[in-house]
Amino acid sequence: MKVPVIESDNFNVYYEHHDGLTWIHCDVFRYSKSVREELLMGMRLLMTLRETPLMALHEHGDFKHKKFLKMLGFSYQQTNLCVDGQARDIYRKEVI
């Protein structure tokens, strides 16, 4: 179950707990330099409140998403074969 942790006119950020890990989801409605700064500020705040890393799932071939994850400070951890038979990358953001 996804739980909203940031709600904005420009984007929403959700946490989802699965197998003892916290996975992050982000829906961006409008993107600009000011939205990017708002999102980065929100992520900094979220990370100061956390004691464990955040995880993100990445679909192969989605270059914008990969750039987005790196901009937010996520780093590649590993590639896993998912239950649907598709290989996906797992990214991790460490606690500050």
Side-chain angles (χ1 to χ4, degrees):
M1 171 200 252
K2 294 190 326 189
V3 177
V5 290
I6 300 176
E7 294 180 313
S8 162
D9 290 339
N10 301 311
F11 59 87
N12 290 333
V13 177
Y14 306 89
Y15 283 168
E16 181 176 8
H17 295 280
H18 181 71
D19 284 343
L21 299 171
T22 303
W23 297 82
I24 192 166
H25 304 270
C26 184
D27 297 327
V28 179
F29 311 121
R30 184 180 75 83
Y31 193 78
S32 66
K33 185 177 178 180
S34 63
V35 171
R36 178 169 97 46
E37 293 305 315
E38 180 186 359
L39 182 56
L40 287 170
M41 183 177 67
M43 285 299 297
R44 281 191 298 272
L45 176 61
L46 287 178
M47 294 311 292
T48 62
L49 300 171
R50 296 201 50 79
E51 296 178 359
T52 59
L54 284 175
M55 310 302 288
L57 200 59
H58 171 68
E59 300 280 341
H60 289 172
D62 187 344
F63 300 109
K64 285 185 181 182
H65 185 250
K66 189 174 193 174
K67 183 177 175 180
F68 184 73
L69 287 172
K70 290 184 182 249
M71 183 259 311
L72 292 176
F74 284 81
S75 56
Y76 172 81
Q77 182 174 345
Q78 66 189 48
T79 300
N80 276 22
L81 188 62
C82 296
V83 294
D84 64 358
Q86 296 295 311
R88 292 183 178 86
D89 292 339
I90 296 176
Y91 281 75
R92 178 183 185 113
K93 182 168 177 66
E94 296 295 336
V95 175
I96 297 172

XYZ file of all heavy atoms in Angstrom:
805
model
N 0.840 -1.177 0.000
C 0.000 0.000 0.000
C 0.891 1.247 0.000
O 1.777 1.391 0.815
C -0.895 0.000 1.237
C -1.635 1.290 1.395
S -2.212 1.527 3.068
C -3.919 1.271 2.884
N 0.654 2.133 -0.954
C 1.410 3.377 -1.053
C 0.810 4.407 -0.092
O -0.394 4.610 -0.070
C 1.397 3.913 -2.484
C 2.126 3.016 -3.444
C 2.386 3.559 -4.828
C 1.410 4.455 -5.462
N 1.700 4.739 -6.871
N 1.699 5.052 0.680
C 1.284 6.063 1.654
C 1.888 7.403 1.234
O 3.104 7.517 1.072
C 1.787 5.684 3.068
C 1.418 6.756 4.074
C 1.256 4.329 3.478
N 1.057 8.438 1.054
C 1.605 9.737 0.656
C 2.441 10.358 1.782
O 2.032 10.339 2.940
C 0.370 10.586 0.365
C -0.795 9.854 0.930
C -0.392 8.441 1.151
N 3.627 10.867 1.406
C 4.483 11.547 2.385
C 4.739 13.004 1.998
O 5.083 13.809 2.844
C 5.811 10.798 2.618
C 5.571 9.494 3.350
C 6.565 10.561 1.331
N 4.584 13.343 0.724
C 4.620 14.736 0.255
C 3.521 14.885 -0.791
O 3.470 14.118 -1.751
C 5.962 15.126 -0.392
C 7.126 14.983 0.584
C 5.898 16.565 -0.916
C 8.481 15.270 -0.045
N 2.660 15.881 -0.597
C 1.636 16.203 -1.597
C 1.820 17.658 -1.994
O 1.868 18.538 -1.148
C 0.246 15.961 -1.035
C -0.020 14.495 -0.759
C -1.406 14.225 -0.206
O -1.825 14.944 0.720
O -2.051 13.306 -0.721
N 1.950 17.881 -3.277
C 2.208 19.207 -3.830
C 1.356 19.383 -5.078
O 0.877 18.397 -5.645
C 3.709 19.305 -4.167
O 3.975 20.353 -5.050
N 1.179 20.609 -5.510
C 0.493 20.844 -6.783
C 1.307 20.306 -7.957
O 0.760 20.003 -9.008
C 0.244 22.337 -6.992
C -0.806 22.895 -6.049
O -1.616 22.102 -5.518
O -0.814 24.131 -5.840
N 2.633 20.172 -7.747
C 3.542 19.783 -8.828
C 3.924 18.310 -8.820
O 4.285 17.757 -9.850
C 4.810 20.624 -8.765
C 4.489 22.096 -8.883
O 3.764 22.509 -9.773
N 5.014 22.889 -7.964
N 3.881 17.676 -7.655
C 4.270 16.273 -7.539
C 3.732 15.687 -6.234
O 3.407 16.422 -5.307
C 5.796 16.100 -7.586
C 6.516 16.834 -6.499
C 6.725 16.256 -5.248
C 6.997 18.113 -6.709
C 7.376 16.935 -4.241
C 7.657 18.804 -5.717
C 7.848 18.219 -4.469
N 3.656 14.361 -6.195
C 3.330 13.622 -4.978
C 4.403 12.564 -4.773
O 4.858 11.932 -5.734
C 1.965 12.938 -5.058
C 0.822 13.928 -5.039
O 0.929 15.027 -4.502
N -0.289 13.551 -5.645
N 4.801 12.360 -3.520
C 5.781 11.340 -3.160
C 5.107 10.376 -2.199
O 4.407 10.794 -1.277
C 7.034 11.972 -2.514
C 8.022 10.891 -2.085
C 7.700 12.959 -3.460
N 5.325 9.082 -2.442
C 4.711 8.028 -1.636
C 5.792 7.073 -1.127
O 6.798 6.858 -1.800
C 3.740 7.187 -2.478
C 2.692 7.969 -3.184
C 2.921 8.475 -4.461
C 1.450 8.199 -2.600
C 1.940 9.197 -5.128
C 0.474 8.916 -3.265
C 0.726 9.415 -4.525
O -0.242 10.122 -5.188
N 5.545 6.480 0.036
C 6.343 5.368 0.530
C 5.512 4.095 0.395
O 4.290 4.132 0.522
C 6.682 5.521 2.015
C 7.783 6.497 2.347
C 7.973 6.876 3.673
C 8.637 7.027 1.397
C 8.982 7.752 4.032
C 9.638 7.911 1.746
C 9.811 8.268 3.066
O 10.807 9.133 3.425
N 6.206 2.988 0.176
C 5.570 1.676 0.178
C 6.512 0.707 0.887
O 7.684 0.590 0.517
C 5.309 1.204 -1.253
C 4.630 -0.129 -1.324
C 4.292 -0.551 -2.747
O 4.719 0.109 -3.708
O 3.597 -1.562 -2.888
N 6.033 0.049 1.928
C 6.846 -0.912 2.665
C 6.637 -2.303 2.083
O 5.512 -2.743 1.894
C 6.486 -0.886 4.150
C 6.821 0.420 4.785
N 8.107 0.749 5.177
C 6.063 1.486 5.075
C 8.105 1.968 5.681
N 6.871 2.440 5.624
N 7.763 -2.966 1.775
C 7.713 -4.315 1.210
C 8.980 -5.056 1.609
O 10.094 -4.551 1.405
C 7.587 -4.248 -0.310
C 7.509 -5.579 -0.963
N 6.412 -6.400 -0.858
C 8.410 -6.255 -1.718
C 6.628 -7.518 -1.538
N 7.835 -7.451 -2.056
N 8.829 -6.236 2.172
C 9.956 -7.082 2.590
C 10.946 -6.350 3.488
O 12.161 -6.490 3.335
C 10.691 -7.655 1.373
C 9.937 -8.804 0.719
O 9.027 -9.365 1.364
O 10.264 -9.131 -0.439
N 10.444 -5.525 4.388
C 11.301 -4.831 5.343
C 12.020 -3.618 4.793
O 12.841 -3.023 5.488
N 11.741 -3.251 3.558
C 12.378 -2.085 2.926
C 11.320 -1.025 2.631
O 10.147 -1.338 2.456
C 13.066 -2.487 1.622
C 14.181 -3.515 1.743
C 14.612 -3.990 0.366
C 15.361 -2.948 2.518
N 11.763 0.228 2.541
C 10.868 1.317 2.156
C 11.183 1.708 0.725
O 12.304 2.100 0.406
C 11.039 2.536 3.093
O 10.813 2.121 4.439
C 10.046 3.630 2.725
N 10.160 1.586 -0.117
C 10.278 1.928 -1.541
C 9.607 3.278 -1.756
O 8.578 3.569 -1.159
C 9.609 0.849 -2.396
C 10.300 -0.458 -2.227
C 10.114 -1.350 -1.215
C 11.315 -0.995 -3.052
N 10.958 -2.421 -1.375
C 11.707 -2.234 -2.496
C 11.935 -0.557 -4.220
C 12.682 -3.034 -3.063
C 12.904 -1.363 -4.791
C 13.268 -2.572 -4.224
N 10.194 4.077 -2.617
C 9.653 5.411 -2.874
C 9.073 5.457 -4.285
O 9.594 4.819 -5.210
C 10.728 6.489 -2.670
C 10.111 7.878 -2.651
C 11.847 6.365 -3.676
C 11.013 8.960 -2.128
N 7.965 6.188 -4.405
C 7.314 6.434 -5.694
C 7.104 7.939 -5.805
O 6.798 8.595 -4.810
C 5.952 5.746 -5.771
C 6.005 4.273 -5.523
N 6.191 3.364 -6.534
C 5.887 3.551 -4.387
C 6.189 2.142 -6.021
N 6.005 2.230 -4.722
N 7.237 8.473 -6.997
C 7.043 9.904 -7.192
C 6.280 10.133 -8.498
O 6.696 9.661 -9.553
C 8.398 10.610 -7.244
S 8.273 12.396 -7.371
N 5.169 10.849 -8.388
C 4.396 11.246 -9.563
C 4.620 12.739 -9.769
O 4.255 13.543 -8.902
C 2.897 10.986 -9.351
C 2.573 9.520 -9.168
O 3.265 8.680 -9.789
O 1.636 9.203 -8.414
N 5.233 13.114 -10.882
C 5.493 14.524 -11.193
C 4.464 14.973 -12.219
O 4.320 14.372 -13.274
C 6.926 14.725 -11.724
C 7.168 16.184 -12.070
C 7.949 14.233 -10.700
N 3.741 16.056 -11.894
C 2.685 16.565 -12.775
C 3.197 17.666 -13.704
O 2.706 17.824 -14.816
C 1.518 17.113 -11.950
C 1.068 16.165 -10.872
C 1.081 16.539 -9.551
C 0.650 14.875 -11.187
C 0.671 15.673 -8.555
C 0.246 13.991 -10.196
C 0.257 14.399 -8.877
N 4.138 18.438 -13.209
C 4.703 19.554 -13.968
C 6.154 19.651 -13.550
O 6.471 19.571 -12.375
C 3.961 20.840 -13.612
C 4.386 22.055 -14.391
C 3.582 23.279 -13.973
N 3.987 23.809 -12.689
C 5.010 24.629 -12.490
N 5.762 24.992 -13.514
N 5.308 25.076 -11.295
N 7.060 19.815 -14.516
C 8.479 19.853 -14.171
C 9.110 21.133 -14.691
O 8.907 21.515 -15.842
C 9.208 18.639 -14.746
C 10.582 18.449 -14.171
C 10.757 17.901 -12.915
C 11.708 18.862 -14.872
C 12.017 17.737 -12.365
C 12.973 18.706 -14.337
C 13.123 18.150 -13.089
O 14.367 18.004 -12.540
N 9.838 21.792 -13.821
C 10.589 22.996 -14.163
C 11.734 23.101 -13.167
O 11.843 22.289 -12.238
C 9.698 24.240 -14.065
O 9.325 24.460 -12.714
N 12.561 24.107 -13.320
C 13.678 24.300 -12.396
C 13.165 24.526 -10.974
O 13.713 23.966 -10.016
C 14.541 25.472 -12.840
C 15.769 25.662 -12.000
C 16.642 26.796 -12.509
C 17.846 26.963 -11.592
N 18.716 28.034 -12.038
N 12.104 25.296 -10.811
C 11.573 25.542 -9.462
C 10.941 24.287 -8.864
O 11.059 24.034 -7.653
C 10.572 26.702 -9.474
O 9.455 26.386 -10.268
N 10.311 23.467 -9.691
C 9.742 22.196 -9.211
C 10.881 21.271 -8.786
O 10.804 20.595 -7.754
C 8.851 21.536 -10.284
C 8.439 20.129 -9.877
C 7.627 22.401 -10.556
N 11.954 21.248 -9.565
C 13.119 20.442 -9.216
C 13.663 20.839 -7.852
O 13.949 19.991 -7.009
C 14.200 20.590 -10.286
C 15.470 19.822 -9.972
C 16.402 19.775 -11.153
N 17.484 20.645 -11.360
C 18.428 21.048 -10.513
N 18.381 20.741 -9.290
N 19.414 21.792 -10.877
N 13.780 22.137 -7.607
C 14.280 22.625 -6.316
C 13.323 22.253 -5.178
O 13.763 21.874 -4.093
C 14.515 24.131 -6.364
C 15.644 24.543 -7.292
C 16.957 23.830 -6.976
O 17.327 23.740 -5.784
O 17.601 23.342 -7.924
N 12.024 22.356 -5.422
C 11.019 21.977 -4.420
C 11.130 20.482 -4.097
O 11.076 20.077 -2.925
C 9.627 22.317 -4.937
C 8.506 21.966 -3.986
C 7.119 22.185 -4.593
O 7.003 22.633 -5.751
O 6.148 21.868 -3.881
N 11.302 19.676 -5.126
C 11.429 18.238 -4.943
C 12.711 17.884 -4.194
O 12.700 17.062 -3.270
C 11.386 17.531 -6.301
C 11.455 16.015 -6.310
C 10.361 15.398 -5.457
C 11.352 15.506 -7.732
N 13.821 18.518 -4.549
C 15.089 18.268 -3.857
C 14.999 18.670 -2.382
O 15.507 17.959 -1.507
C 16.238 19.004 -4.547
C 16.687 18.414 -5.876
C 17.664 19.360 -6.570
C 17.316 17.048 -5.676
N 14.340 19.782 -2.102
C 14.160 20.221 -0.721
C 13.311 19.203 0.049
O 13.631 18.845 1.184
C 13.503 21.599 -0.666
C 13.362 22.147 0.736
S 12.667 23.810 0.788
C 11.013 23.502 0.197
N 12.255 18.715 -0.563
C 11.409 17.710 0.065
C 12.167 16.417 0.345
O 12.017 15.814 1.408
N 12.997 16.000 -0.603
C 13.789 14.780 -0.413
C 14.809 14.955 0.708
O 15.030 14.034 1.500
C 14.502 14.397 -1.719
C 13.587 13.800 -2.758
S 12.788 12.266 -2.238
C 14.205 11.206 -2.030
N 15.434 16.133 0.790
C 16.382 16.390 1.889
C 15.673 16.275 3.232
O 16.189 15.667 4.170
C 17.035 17.765 1.741
C 18.154 17.796 0.719
C 18.962 19.077 0.779
N 18.179 20.268 0.488
C 17.972 20.765 -0.730
N 18.489 20.164 -1.791
N 17.260 21.854 -0.896
N 14.479 16.838 3.319
C 13.704 16.765 4.557
C 13.347 15.311 4.885
O 13.530 14.860 6.023
C 12.441 17.614 4.456
C 11.496 17.532 5.651
C 12.186 18.006 6.920
C 10.237 18.328 5.388
N 12.848 14.573 3.892
C 12.502 13.167 4.121
C 13.704 12.378 4.630
O 13.583 11.569 5.549
C 11.970 12.519 2.843
C 10.581 12.914 2.390
C 10.247 12.209 1.076
C 9.543 12.591 3.450
N 14.872 12.613 4.050
C 16.050 11.841 4.423
C 16.542 12.188 5.825
O 17.108 11.327 6.498
C 17.164 12.016 3.391
C 16.827 11.423 2.028
S 16.188 9.724 2.041
C 17.617 8.809 2.584
N 16.315 13.419 6.286
C 16.723 13.765 7.651
C 15.827 13.077 8.679
O 16.239 12.896 9.826
C 16.703 15.284 7.905
O 15.377 15.774 7.742
C 17.665 16.012 6.988
N 14.620 12.688 8.277
C 13.685 12.024 9.181
C 13.852 10.506 9.196
O 13.272 9.831 10.034
C 12.243 12.364 8.778
C 11.886 13.851 8.803
C 10.516 14.069 8.183
C 11.952 14.387 10.221
N 14.648 9.967 8.278
C 14.764 8.516 8.115
C 15.950 7.953 8.871
O 16.953 8.617 9.075
C 14.914 8.163 6.635
C 13.671 8.546 5.826
C 13.575 7.781 4.554
N 13.727 6.363 4.706
C 12.765 5.542 5.136
N 11.586 6.018 5.426
N 12.983 4.247 5.238
N 15.816 6.684 9.233
C 16.920 5.940 9.830
C 17.393 4.808 8.929
O 18.404 4.179 9.194
C 16.498 5.370 11.190
C 16.188 6.452 12.206
C 15.732 5.887 13.543
O 15.633 4.639 13.679
O 15.465 6.693 14.439
N 16.640 4.539 7.871
C 16.985 3.474 6.928
C 16.947 4.043 5.506
O 16.285 5.050 5.242
C 15.997 2.296 7.028
O 14.672 2.764 6.759
C 16.050 1.657 8.417
N 17.660 3.404 4.574
C 17.680 3.913 3.200
C 16.335 3.789 2.498
O 15.456 3.051 2.939
C 18.723 3.040 2.504
C 19.020 1.923 3.411
C 18.477 2.228 4.763
N 16.212 4.521 1.406
C 15.046 4.416 0.520
C 15.451 3.623 -0.713
O 16.578 3.730 -1.192
C 14.580 5.804 0.074
C 13.823 6.630 1.082
C 13.551 8.014 0.511
C 12.531 5.960 1.484
N 14.513 2.864 -1.237
C 14.747 2.042 -2.416
C 13.847 2.528 -3.558
O 12.749 3.037 -3.311
C 14.424 0.585 -2.112
C 15.060 0.042 -0.842
S 16.850 0.169 -0.813
C 17.268 -1.090 -1.994
N 14.327 2.359 -4.779
C 13.533 2.718 -5.960
C 13.732 1.658 -7.032
O 14.834 1.134 -7.205
C 13.943 4.086 -6.486
N 12.681 1.370 -7.751
C 12.708 0.390 -8.831
C 12.788 1.143 -10.160
O 12.104 2.143 -10.359
C 11.426 -0.450 -8.777
C 11.427 -1.791 -9.466
C 12.505 -2.696 -8.890
C 10.064 -2.439 -9.307
N 13.639 0.659 -11.056
C 13.857 1.330 -12.337
C 13.655 0.361 -13.499
O 14.231 -0.726 -13.526
C 15.274 1.906 -12.377
C 15.669 2.416 -13.722
N 15.092 3.519 -14.296
C 16.576 1.952 -14.612
C 15.640 3.725 -15.483
N 16.527 2.788 -15.704
N 12.822 0.776 -14.441
C 12.587 -0.005 -15.663
C 13.736 0.231 -16.645
O 14.109 1.384 -16.905
C 11.285 0.443 -16.341
C 10.046 0.286 -15.489
C 9.510 -1.129 -15.470
O 9.859 -1.915 -16.383
O 8.768 -1.450 -14.535
N 14.290 -0.832 -17.195
C 15.365 -0.704 -18.186
C 14.887 0.099 -19.390
O 13.748 -0.050 -19.829
C 15.823 -2.087 -18.651
C 16.583 -2.825 -17.591
N 16.957 -4.125 -17.726
C 17.046 -2.442 -16.376
C 17.612 -4.518 -16.649
N 17.666 -3.514 -15.807
N 15.744 0.955 -19.891
C 15.437 1.731 -21.085
C 14.773 3.070 -20.815
O 14.611 3.864 -21.732
N 14.389 3.338 -19.574
C 13.755 4.612 -19.230
C 14.852 5.587 -18.795
O 15.152 5.740 -17.616
C 12.727 4.417 -18.120
C 11.906 5.661 -17.834
O 12.312 6.763 -18.270
O 10.854 5.538 -17.166
N 15.455 6.266 -19.766
C 16.622 7.106 -19.505
C 16.282 8.353 -18.689
O 17.091 8.802 -17.881
C 17.308 7.467 -20.827
C 17.769 6.242 -21.569
C 17.129 5.838 -22.724
C 18.812 5.466 -21.087
C 17.534 4.693 -23.407
C 19.232 4.323 -21.745
C 18.591 3.934 -22.910
N 15.085 8.909 -18.877
C 14.674 10.071 -18.076
C 14.544 9.691 -16.601
O 14.951 10.446 -15.723
C 13.352 10.652 -18.582
C 13.471 11.445 -19.847
C 12.134 12.070 -20.207
C 12.234 12.855 -21.488
N 10.964 13.501 -21.822
N 13.973 8.525 -16.340
C 13.816 8.069 -14.961
C 15.181 7.830 -14.304
O 15.399 8.188 -13.150
C 12.974 6.796 -14.910
C 12.671 6.338 -13.528
N 13.232 5.213 -12.990
C 11.877 6.880 -12.559
C 12.796 5.064 -11.747
N 11.970 6.057 -11.462
N 16.114 7.249 -15.058
C 17.463 7.002 -14.541
C 18.141 8.323 -14.173
O 18.749 8.448 -13.097
C 18.290 6.242 -15.570
C 19.610 5.749 -15.074
C 20.257 4.896 -16.154
C 21.420 4.115 -15.611
N 21.954 3.180 -16.613
N 18.030 9.309 -15.043
C 18.593 10.633 -14.775
C 17.922 11.260 -13.545
O 18.582 11.876 -12.698
C 18.398 11.526 -16.003
C 18.994 12.896 -15.886
C 18.795 13.673 -17.184
C 19.290 15.094 -17.031
N 19.105 15.872 -18.256
N 16.619 11.085 -13.417
C 15.835 11.591 -12.291
C 16.330 10.962 -10.979
O 16.552 11.660 -9.982
C 14.355 11.280 -12.535
C 13.412 11.817 -11.519
C 13.113 13.167 -11.457
C 12.792 10.959 -10.623
C 12.215 13.662 -10.518
C 11.897 11.443 -9.683
C 11.613 12.799 -9.634
N 16.512 9.632 -10.970
C 16.999 8.942 -9.776
C 18.379 9.452 -9.364
O 18.633 9.703 -8.182
C 17.059 7.427 -10.012
C 15.734 6.685 -10.051
C 15.954 5.235 -10.481
C 15.039 6.739 -8.706
N 19.255 9.627 -10.322
C 20.605 10.114 -10.007
C 20.564 11.548 -9.492
O 21.300 11.907 -8.583
C 21.506 9.965 -11.228
C 21.809 8.511 -11.514
C 22.776 8.335 -12.656
C 22.983 6.873 -12.918
N 24.284 6.382 -12.588
N 19.694 12.382 -10.046
C 19.546 13.755 -9.594
C 19.095 13.789 -8.132
O 19.506 14.646 -7.356
C 18.538 14.500 -10.487
C 18.339 15.957 -10.176
S 16.858 16.414 -9.227
C 15.520 15.617 -10.012
N 18.272 12.823 -7.735
C 17.776 12.754 -6.360
C 18.771 12.083 -5.414
O 18.508 12.003 -4.214
C 16.442 12.012 -6.310
C 15.260 12.728 -6.959
C 14.024 11.838 -6.922
C 14.986 14.054 -6.261
N 19.896 11.607 -5.932
C 20.926 11.029 -5.078
C 20.852 9.521 -4.896
O 21.508 8.974 -4.017
N 20.079 8.843 -5.728
C 20.011 7.390 -5.673
C 21.192 6.801 -6.441
O 21.650 7.376 -7.419
C 18.706 6.880 -6.297
C 17.506 7.057 -5.418
C 16.856 8.274 -5.344
C 17.029 6.000 -4.659
C 15.751 8.456 -4.529
C 15.919 6.161 -3.841
C 15.285 7.393 -3.766
N 21.661 5.644 -5.998
C 22.733 4.963 -6.714
C 22.318 3.515 -6.987
O 21.580 2.906 -6.209
C 24.041 5.016 -5.924
O 23.870 4.486 -4.636
N 22.828 3.005 -8.093
C 22.513 1.646 -8.514
C 22.983 0.657 -7.460
O 24.097 0.749 -6.948
C 23.182 1.355 -9.862
C 23.074 -0.085 -10.284
C 21.914 -0.561 -10.876
C 24.122 -0.964 -10.067
C 21.805 -1.890 -11.258
C 24.024 -2.299 -10.448
C 22.857 -2.746 -11.041
O 22.755 -4.066 -11.416
N 22.129 -0.319 -7.140
C 22.504 -1.365 -6.197
C 22.624 -2.717 -6.900
O 23.614 -3.400 -6.762
C 21.494 -1.467 -5.065
C 21.867 -2.511 -4.040
C 20.949 -2.535 -2.841
O 20.192 -1.617 -2.612
N 21.017 -3.603 -2.085
N 21.584 -3.108 -7.649
C 21.612 -4.405 -8.319
C 20.456 -4.508 -9.307
O 19.561 -3.684 -9.309
C 21.520 -5.547 -7.310
C 20.187 -5.610 -6.572
C 20.202 -6.607 -5.429
O 21.123 -6.607 -4.621
N 19.190 -7.460 -5.371
N 20.507 -5.552 -10.124
C 19.408 -5.875 -11.041
C 18.753 -7.153 -10.542
O 19.441 -8.110 -10.191
C 19.936 -6.065 -12.473
O 20.556 -4.848 -12.896
C 18.815 -6.415 -13.426
N 17.429 -7.151 -10.491
C 16.668 -8.325 -10.040
C 15.687 -8.757 -11.111
O 15.161 -7.917 -11.842
C 15.874 -8.006 -8.768
C 16.689 -8.137 -7.521
O 17.913 -8.067 -7.552
N 16.019 -8.314 -6.402
N 15.417 -10.042 -11.143
C 14.361 -10.578 -11.988
C 13.077 -10.520 -11.167
O 12.995 -11.095 -10.083
C 14.677 -12.016 -12.401
C 13.753 -12.631 -13.431
C 13.809 -11.840 -14.739
C 14.132 -14.078 -13.678
N 12.086 -9.793 -11.650
C 10.832 -9.593 -10.916
C 9.850 -10.736 -11.207
O 10.063 -11.536 -12.118
C 10.222 -8.245 -11.287
S 11.280 -6.861 -10.779
N 8.774 -10.779 -10.425
C 7.802 -11.875 -10.538
C 7.136 -11.935 -11.910
O 6.649 -12.990 -12.305
C 6.734 -11.808 -9.424
C 7.349 -12.044 -8.064
C 5.970 -10.512 -9.456
N 7.133 -10.813 -12.639
C 6.541 -10.813 -13.977
C 7.535 -11.242 -15.056
O 7.239 -11.188 -16.244
C 5.942 -9.448 -14.308
C 6.982 -8.343 -14.383
O 8.184 -8.609 -14.146
O 6.596 -7.188 -14.666
N 8.745 -11.659 -14.620
C 9.754 -12.123 -15.569
C 10.630 -11.036 -16.145
O 11.543 -11.330 -16.919
N 10.393 -9.781 -15.786
C 11.172 -8.643 -16.287
C 12.317 -8.321 -15.336
O 12.138 -8.313 -14.115
C 10.289 -7.401 -16.444
C 9.197 -7.540 -17.477
C 9.759 -7.695 -18.872
O 10.623 -6.945 -19.302
N 9.260 -8.691 -19.589
N 13.490 -8.034 -15.894
C 14.626 -7.591 -15.088
C 14.489 -6.086 -14.854
O 14.200 -5.326 -15.784
C 15.933 -7.901 -15.795
N 14.658 -5.671 -13.599
C 14.594 -4.258 -13.238
C 15.761 -3.929 -12.320
O 16.229 -4.774 -11.566
C 13.269 -3.937 -12.550
C 12.080 -4.045 -13.480
C 10.778 -3.650 -12.787
N 9.665 -3.725 -13.696
C 8.963 -4.835 -13.952
N 9.276 -5.970 -13.362
N 7.955 -4.809 -14.796
N 16.203 -2.683 -12.402
C 17.288 -2.223 -11.547
C 16.734 -1.704 -10.230
O 15.657 -1.102 -10.193
C 18.070 -1.088 -12.224
C 18.841 -1.572 -13.440
O 19.107 -2.790 -13.540
O 19.166 -0.733 -14.297
N 17.488 -1.929 -9.173
C 17.155 -1.402 -7.864
C 18.166 -0.325 -7.521
O 19.382 -0.526 -7.634
C 17.162 -2.521 -6.801
C 16.061 -3.541 -7.123
C 16.978 -1.932 -5.405
C 16.043 -4.733 -6.214
N 17.638 0.824 -7.145
C 18.457 1.959 -6.717
C 18.215 2.218 -5.239
O 17.158 1.911 -4.712
C 18.125 3.200 -7.541
C 18.771 3.201 -8.901
C 18.298 2.391 -9.920
C 19.875 3.996 -9.152
C 18.895 2.378 -11.159
C 20.491 3.992 -10.401
C 19.987 3.182 -11.394
O 20.603 3.170 -12.622
N 19.228 2.791 -4.581
C 19.194 2.994 -3.134
C 19.692 4.401 -2.804
O 20.645 4.872 -3.394
C 20.103 1.950 -2.504
C 20.258 2.007 -1.026
C 21.260 0.929 -0.618
N 21.376 0.851 0.814
C 20.994 -0.172 1.542
N 20.475 -1.239 0.968
N 21.127 -0.159 2.845
N 18.997 5.043 -1.858
C 19.429 6.351 -1.355
C 19.713 6.196 0.124
O 18.834 5.838 0.907
C 18.364 7.422 -1.586
C 18.809 8.804 -1.103
C 17.858 9.869 -1.602
C 18.219 11.244 -1.092
N 19.473 11.738 -1.605
N 20.956 6.438 0.498
C 21.386 6.270 1.880
C 20.909 7.430 2.749
O 20.705 8.543 2.276
C 22.914 6.166 1.950
C 23.481 4.949 1.258
C 23.078 3.625 1.891
O 22.734 3.595 3.096
O 23.104 2.609 1.176
N 20.780 7.145 4.030
C 20.396 8.154 5.013
C 21.539 9.146 5.165
O 22.710 8.780 5.143
C 20.078 7.468 6.361
C 19.800 8.499 7.442
C 18.912 6.517 6.221
N 21.170 10.393 5.324
C 22.167 11.469 5.475
C 22.844 11.350 6.825
O 22.258 11.112 7.828
C 21.486 12.843 5.336
C 20.896 12.992 3.949
C 22.444 13.968 5.632
C 20.043 14.222 3.756
